[in-house]
Amino acid sequence: MKRTIYSIFFILLLSCSMSCGDENSFSEITKIALRDVGNSLLLSQNDSTSLVLPITNIDTNKFELTFQEELSIVPDSLVDAVKNSFAKANLPDNYRIEVLHCSDNEVAYSYEMKNEEQNSIIPCMGRALPVGCYIIQVQFTELKQTSWVIYVLLFGGVILALWFLMKLRKPKLKEDTLESYIIGKYEFYPDQNKLVKSASEIQLSKKECELLEIFYENLNTVVKRDELVKRVWEDQGVFVGRSLDTYISKLRKKLQEDDSIKITNIHGVGYKLEVLDS
């Protein structure tokens, strides 16, 4: 059993490691491709000395490219540079490019590329932006989710396997080992939510069972309404004014075959379970 559980956890840990590895790999490849884009843009303007600054991963699928010196952005060159570099790096075909002014982060130019080129939006080709300080941001809009589906299914399978194994290993208690109480002619099994009388079983709801346990603890003693409500309904956060009376009525019906048992309403105070001596 322990070996099986350890094996399952090992598989889950390995899957998580693979997932993290995929994310890190994607991030690093994207940064390399964007440095190549920056280098292509600088060379297109005969600049072979200024630097492409470190690429920043600003969100899960969003990256930022900045430069050491000012430059002019030519849409044609930008589109071609990104397309070629991303193709060499085998990056997704669906992405959005935004060129921002460094001073106020206002968008100076943007376009959206899709794997079906007829659906791509590439405006203002041939209109160069003047020399200035620019930030180029790329956001991938449709990443493949296949691997995530596999990990989710695998995780669900592991949880299901653990639940099944624990259920198989859970010992089944014999009825004669369960704690029971004698109430009149009934045998009360709180762990099974049931009453037994003359070999016939009467099923109790959870709240009926909880109420009967409290009454048994306070046999022939008045239990205040507030205490009953607090102990049975407080954790649920929901209580309808007549709920207690309704459940008391249900209990009375299930105990009605024994005339020695009475649940008495003490008006304005609470209830009392009375068991008369036979």
Side-chain angles (χ1 to χ4, degrees):
M1 174 66 176
K2 287 184 178 179
R3 183 177 296 177
T4 304
I5 292 176
Y6 291 151
S7 299
I8 292 173
F9 274 114
F10 175 75
I11 293 171
L12 181 58
L13 182 61
L14 181 62
S15 300
C16 290
S17 299
M18 290 171 61
S19 173
C20 292
D22 287 346
E23 288 182 8
N24 291 335
S25 176
F26 172 74
S27 176
E28 293 307 313
I29 291 172
T30 302
K31 289 178 180 180
I32 292 171
L34 283 176
R35 291 192 68 82
D36 187 51
V37 170
N39 182 59
S40 297
L41 293 178
L42 291 174
L43 291 178
S44 69
Q45 298 181 40
N46 299 316
D47 183 350
S48 58
T49 58
S50 62
L51 301 177
V52 176
L53 298 180
I55 309 299
T56 305
N57 190 174
I58 58 178
D59 204 349
T60 307
N61 303 319
K62 194 171 186 178
F63 298 81
E64 189 171 271
L65 166 65
T66 53
F67 302 89
Q68 181 185 30
E69 301 292 341
E70 295 184 344
L71 76 165
S72 172
I73 299 293
V74 180
D76 307 63
S77 301
L78 176 61
V79 171
D80 289 341
V82 173
K83 186 176 181 180
N84 293 335
S85 295
F86 282 15
K88 288 188 290 184
N90 197 29
L91 290 174
D93 298 324
N94 299 280
Y95 52 85
R96 184 180 302 110
I97 299 291
E98 289 187 335
V99 181
L100 312 176
H101 290 291
C102 297
S103 57
D104 53 14
N105 280 340
E106 289 291 328
V107 178
Y109 178 72
S110 62
Y111 71 92
E112 184 166 8
M113 184 68 75
K114 297 186 178 181
N115 52 11
E116 297 179 3
E117 289 200 15
Q118 66 269 24
N119 294 326
S120 299
I121 304 173
I122 309 175
C124 304
M125 296 287 280
R127 298 183 182 180
L129 300 180
V131 174
C133 177
Y134 296 105
I135 299 168
I136 298 175
Q137 290 183 350
V138 56
Q139 180 165 7
F140 294 97
T141 53
E142 292 182 22
L143 291 180
K144 293 181 180 179
Q145 299 297 323
T146 305
S147 60
W148 281 106
V149 172
I150 292 173
Y151 297 138
V152 169
L153 290 176
L154 180 60
F155 180 76
V158 169
I159 296 300
L160 184 62
L162 282 173
W163 174 82
F164 182 71
L165 288 171
M166 294 303 292
K167 189 174 181 181
L168 286 178
R169 294 288 294 182
K170 186 176 181 180
K172 293 184 179 180
L173 297 176
K174 294 182 179 178
E175 187 169 295
D176 58 8
T177 66
L178 293 172
E179 187 175 24
S180 64
Y181 308 109
I182 301 300
I183 303 177
K185 296 177 183 178
Y186 295 92
E187 198 166 359
F188 175 37
Y189 291 86
D191 291 334
Q192 292 189 330
N193 289 3
K194 71 180 182 181
L195 291 166
V196 175
K197 180 178 179 292
S198 303
S200 97
E201 294 186 2
I202 302 170
Q203 203 63 39
L204 300 174
S205 70
K206 185 173 183 297
K207 285 186 169 49
E208 289 169 352
C209 185
E210 290 173 351
L211 286 169
L212 190 54
E213 276 195 279
I214 296 170
F215 284 136
Y216 181 80
E217 293 169 3
N218 300 275
L219 204 57
N220 297 315
T221 304
V222 178
V223 184
K224 293 182 178 180
R225 291 181 63 91
D226 289 346
E227 181 180 350
L228 291 170
V229 171
K230 181 177 181 182
R231 290 180 59 178
V232 177
W233 278 275
E234 185 177 60
D235 292 341
Q236 309 299 321
V238 177
F239 174 70
V240 179
R242 301 295 298 174
S243 293
L244 175 59
D245 302 314
T246 300
Y247 279 98
I248 294 294
S249 178
K250 291 180 179 179
L251 263 182
R252 284 192 178 117
K253 289 180 182 178
K254 292 181 178 180
L255 294 167
Q256 66 185 355
E257 292 183 20
D258 188 344
D259 295 334
S260 68
I261 298 175
K262 289 196 306 180
I263 300 179
T264 306
N265 179 15
I266 310 301
H267 185 68
V269 180
Y271 289 92
K272 176 170 64 171
L273 176 65
E274 297 178 278
V275 180
L276 306 177
D277 294 332
S278 314

